[in-house]
């Protein structure tokens, strides 16, 4: 059996404390995921003018989220390689320190620009944490226990999504907006102490060389592409010369990145992995589900707080079913895979998410709130049945020594998918909203008319300053936002349907077909090159 040698490397001492190690790894993962889920609830507060918030525009809010995810995604693969080379424990510890420092600085940002910069620093630290957690997991669990451990690890993501909004709501009810970042610091300190005590170090005996050119090209390409998409939404005009030039430049740089990686003898991303259809479909499914999910989370906060009038804490509690479903089903999804196979399980999950996005398009200002709770719960259920099976397929497709690279690839596509989801669906939301509200802004002073049409928060902010004259804007603003949300949700549903088609065509069926094992043997020689 080909896994006998790697499995023998799990020492008895490490094997005995493997579940405690998994707990520490999940704590490290918790803060990385927690940060974005907390920020989702704080978006409205940060968009409020000083002293309550920073007065951030919708495009600045998108950048506050995407500065983190783009740096995170751009550096994940290099971080995985550094972990393979230097030792995963060392990289984990260093990443946590940088993340903690970035969190403390972000908490005291004096402007949206500062917040964006410090969020990028947090993304730098997170890039070294996320792949190392999964790589360590693969090195402390035997192969037969890996699906169960990965299921629990994926459930940790659900736990973070659950805790984040509620924690953010409690903090915003009692403290200033910066507290949602400052809360990371004590968690980082606790994780550092436990990690130094419990977690063993591991590394790849034959690590790859670092690829600085590939890293620079991927980051520049992604930033240009996302900037162009967000700018198009801000202007409500994707035919603008600046928008087209920026998107075109981003795509050109990303094409150059792929060409360079194919020719490099030490690429950041080994494109030979993608010759395997199962591996590519699993990676693509992760990217597409996060594209849809992150975009929905972005606009659902404005729906619950701006249209429905719920507080940040109430919004956090309303999002609890989304996380609860992931907590419940992610560790058990492997049982569904054992019975029905990866293809049926993942396709069903994708179709369920698509159906819930269509349901989102039917929500109105007076829809019974329990319907939103059902939608969130079923979305979380669908996500759990996508993330666990695809993560197992990806991680077991490569040899154990390449665990850092496999984890980094999985998380790169997750973060890129999420960043593009916020950029694309956020821009669809912004464009549809401006088109709906523009005709009602005649009473607004010409100097602030463009800004007032950018988002529902901007419109309501201007309406508040106009006093009684601004009251007439509230109804049209809500109507315009609801229409924009419906359009955006249908776009998200379309993306989820594409994901369902991809996994239905290319993921393996029932385990008895043994397709995953066959594909794995094809990939092992490529991974050792």
């Amino acid at each position: 059996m080909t896994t006998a040698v790697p499995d023998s490397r799990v020492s008895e001492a490490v094997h005995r404390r493997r579940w405690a190690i998994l707990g520490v790894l999940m704590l490290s993962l918790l803060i990385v995921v927690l940060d974005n889920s907390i920020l989702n609830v704080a978006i409205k507060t940060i968009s409020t003018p000083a002293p309550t918030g920073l007065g951030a525009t919708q495009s600045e809010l998108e950048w506050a989220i995407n500065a983190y995810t783009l740096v995170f995604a751009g550096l994940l693969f290099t971080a995985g390689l550094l972990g393979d080379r230097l030792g995963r424990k060392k990289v984990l510890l260093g990443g946590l320190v940088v993340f903690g420092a970035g969190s403390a600085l972000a908490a005291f940002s004096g402007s949206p620009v500062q917040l964006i910069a410090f969020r990028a620093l947090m993304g730098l630290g997170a890039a070294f944490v996320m792949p190392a957690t999964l790589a360590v997991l693969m090195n402390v669990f035997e192969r037969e226990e890996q699906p169960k451990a990965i299921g629990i690890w994926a459930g940790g993501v659900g736990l973070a999504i659950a805790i984040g909004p509620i924690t953010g709501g409690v903090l915003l009810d009692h403290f200033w907006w910066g507290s949602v970042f400052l809360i990371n610091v004590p968690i980082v300190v606790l994780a550092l102490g436990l990690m130094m005590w419990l977690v063993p170090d591991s590394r790849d005996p034959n690590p790859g060389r670092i690829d600085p050119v590939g890293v620079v090209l991927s980051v520049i390409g992604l930033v240009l592409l996302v900037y162009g998409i967000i700018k198009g939404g801000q202007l409500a005009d994707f035919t603008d010369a600046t928008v087209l030039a920026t998107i075109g430049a981003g795509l050109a740089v990303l094409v150059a990145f792929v060409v360079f990686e194919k020719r490099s003898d030490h690429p950041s991303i080994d494109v030979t992995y993608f010759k395997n259809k199962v591996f590519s479909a699993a990676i693509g499914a992760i990217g597409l589900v996060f594209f849809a999910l992150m975009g929905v989370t972005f606009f659902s906060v404005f729906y619950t707080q701006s249209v429905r009038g719920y507080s940040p804490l109430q919004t956090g509690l309303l999002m609890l079913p989304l996380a609860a479903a992931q907590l419940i089903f992610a560790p058990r999804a492997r049982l569904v895979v054992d019975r029905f196979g990866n293809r049926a399980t993942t396709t069903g999950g994708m179709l369920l998410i698509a159906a819930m996005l269509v349901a989102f398009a039917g929500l109105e200002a007076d829809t019974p709130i329990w319907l939103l709770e059902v939608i969130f719960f079923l979305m979380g259920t669908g996500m759990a049945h996508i993330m666990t099976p695809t993560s197992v397929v990806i991680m077991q497709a490569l040899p154990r020594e390449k665990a850092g690279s496999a984890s980094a690839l999985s998380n790169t596509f997750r973060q890129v998918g999420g960043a593009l989801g916020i950029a694309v669906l956020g821009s669809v939301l912004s464009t549809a909203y401006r088109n709906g509200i523009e005709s009602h802004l005649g009473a607004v002073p010409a100097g602030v008319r463009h800004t007032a049409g950018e988002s529902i928060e901007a419109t309501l902010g201007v309406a508040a300053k106009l006093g009684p004259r601004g009251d007439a804007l509230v109804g049209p603003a809500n109507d315009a936002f609801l229409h924009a949300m419906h359009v955006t949700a249908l776009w998200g549903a379309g993306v989820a349907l594409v994901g369902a088609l991809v996994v239905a065509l290319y993921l393996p069926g029932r385990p008895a077909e043994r397709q995953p094992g066959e594909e794995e043997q094809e990939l092992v020689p490529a991974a050792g090159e």
Side-chain angles (χ1 to χ4, degrees), residues 131-217:
T133 60
L134 202 47
V136 171
L137 182 155
M138 297 298 287
N139 278 273
V140 299
F141 282 90
E142 305 290 357
R143 186 174 182 84
E144 60 271 15
E145 281 189 322
Q146 286 172 3
K148 182 179 179 182
I150 289 173
I152 295 171
W153 180 89
V157 176
L159 179 64
I161 293 173
I163 294 173
I166 297 168
T167 306
V170 170
L171 290 170
L172 291 170
D173 270 4
H174 295 89
F175 305 102
W176 94 115
W177 64 266
S179 60
V180 301
F181 299 112
L182 201 59
I183 190 66
N184 291 333
V185 177
I187 303 176
V188 166
V189 172
L190 176 62
L192 286 170
L194 290 172
M195 197 169 296
M196 287 188 280
W197 175 37
L198 283 172
V199 176
D201 207 355
S202 63
R203 65 184 72 198
D204 185 350
N206 300 297
R209 289 160 57 196
I210 305 303
D211 174 28
V213 176
V215 171
V216 171
L217 287 174

Side-chain angles (χ1 to χ4, degrees), residues 9 56-57 63 90 157 202 207 231 253 269 277 280 285 297 302 308 322 339 388 422 426 474 479 485 489-490:
R9 295 177 189 171
T57 65
W63 275 113
K90 296 184 185 72
V157 176
S202 63
K231 190 69 176 175
V253 173
I269 296 178
K277 291 178 181 178
S280 297
T297 306
F302 288 102
R308 301 298 297 258
L322 178 70
R339 180 162 184 178
T388 300
I422 291 168
V474 175
D479 292 342
M485 184 181 80
L490 291 174

Side-chain angles (χ1 to χ4, degrees), residues 367-419:
T367 299
I369 204 65
W370 64 265
L371 283 175
L372 178 65
E373 300 301 270
V374 171
I375 290 170
F376 275 150
F377 184 82
L378 292 176
M379 284 187 74
T381 303
M383 189 177 176
H385 289 90
I386 297 166
M387 295 307 300
T388 300
T390 52
S391 294
V392 172
V393 167
I394 292 163
M395 294 307 294
Q396 293 193 343
L398 304 183
R400 180 177 298 210
E401 290 77 12
K402 301 298 180 184
S405 299
S407 173
L409 266 173
S410 170
N411 285 294
T412 296
F413 274 75
R414 181 183 307 187
Q415 295 301 322
V416 170

